Amino acid sequence: MIAAADIRAALSRPHRHGTHSSFVGETCDGPLDLSGLTLSGVDFSGAIFPEGLDARGATFEGLSWFSRVTFGADARFAGATFASDARFEDAAFAGSADFEGTDFRGIARFDRARVSGDLRMRGITCNGNLSFEAARIAGAADLSQAEFMGGLWLQDVGFPAGTAFADTQIHGRLWLRGGHVGNRVLRPADFDMAYGYAWT
C-alpha cells in the first residue's frame, strides 16, 4: 500500500520525455487528489483506489495508463487534458466515471471497462479514436456535444437506455457492430453528425 501523498509528490515532478512513474498493482491509501496539477507520465495498471481519484482540471503530460485499475469510489477527470494516449481498458468504476469536458489528444481506450455508476463524457474532445469495445455502463451515460476526430469504436458495447448522443460529431469510422443501447442495437441515426463510414 502506498500513501496518496507519495503518489501526488512523485507525479508533481517535471515531466521528462521517455520516463514515467510506475505504480503498477499498488493500492492507494486514502483518496488521491491530483486536481489542477500538471503531471508527469504514469503507469497505474492494475492499481486500486479504494477511495476514488480526483483529477479534475489536471494535465497528464506523458504516459497515462489506467488499465485494469479499480476505482472504489467516484473517478473525477472532468476538464482534464491527456496529452498522450489515455488507456482505461478493463478498468472497474464502482462509482461514477466523470470525464465531462476532458481533452483527449491521443486515443482514449475504455475496452471492457465496467462502470457501476454514471458515465459523464459530455463535451469531450478526442483527437484519436475513442473505443468502448465490450464496455458496460450500469448508470446513466452522456456523450452529448462530444467531438471524436479519429472515429468512434463501439463493438459489443452495452450502453443504458436513454444514453445521450445529442450534437455529437464523429469524424472518421463509426463502428457499431454488436453495440446496444438499452435493449436495441445502436444505429448511425443515433448520432447527429457522422462524417465518415458507419459499420453496423
Side-chain angles (χ1 to χ4, degrees):
M1 185 170 287
I2 184 169
D6 292 340
I7 297 175
R8 180 185 170 103
L11 298 186
S12 297
R13 297 173 187 144
H15 174 63
R16 289 190 300 145
H17 182 72
T19 67
H20 69 276
S21 297
S22 177
F23 298 101
V24 173
E26 293 279 7
T27 297
C28 180
D29 184 13
L32 179 58
D33 184 1
L34 303 175
S35 58
L37 298 179
T38 297
L39 305 165
S40 55
V42 62
D43 184 357
F44 281 124
S45 298
I48 301 172
F49 298 94
E51 298 182 57
L53 185 153
D54 186 353
R56 288 174 292 182
T59 298
F60 293 84
E61 290 198 318
L63 196 75
S64 303
W65 289 4
F66 293 83
S67 306
R68 306 184 313 280
V69 161
T70 298
F71 297 98
D74 291 346
R76 300 182 177 96
F77 291 89
T81 297
F82 290 89
S84 189
D85 295 345
R87 296 184 55 179
F88 289 85
E89 66 267 31
D90 300 296
F93 299 83
S96 295
D98 186 2
F99 291 87
E100 185 167 348
T102 295
D103 183 5
F104 296 99
R105 296 183 180 174
I107 66 162
R109 188 177 181 192
F110 291 84
D111 297 345
R112 301 171 302 281
R114 296 292 184 268
V115 182
S116 298
D118 297 341
L119 173 68
R120 304 185 187 108
M121 286 193 161
R122 179 183 177 91
I124 72 167
T125 301
C126 189
N127 288 358
N129 177 260
L130 186 142
S131 179
F132 269 104
E133 181 169 339
R136 294 292 181 271
I137 317 301
D142 186 354
L143 284 80
S144 63
Q145 299 181 23
E147 187 168 14
F148 304 102
M149 305 300 293
L152 183 59
W153 186 278
L154 300 177
Q155 171 103 25
D156 298 325
V157 71
F159 282 127
T163 295
F165 298 112
D167 299 320
T168 293
Q169 298 184 45
I170 302 158
H171 307 261
R173 177 177 55 195
L174 175 58
W175 189 277
L176 303 176
R177 289 182 179 173
H180 286 75
V181 56
N183 60 2
R184 68 167 179 82
V185 298
L186 275 167
R187 303 181 296 252
D190 291 321
F191 304 89
D192 284 350
M193 290 169 276
Y195 300 105
Y197 294 99
W199 279 262
T200 58

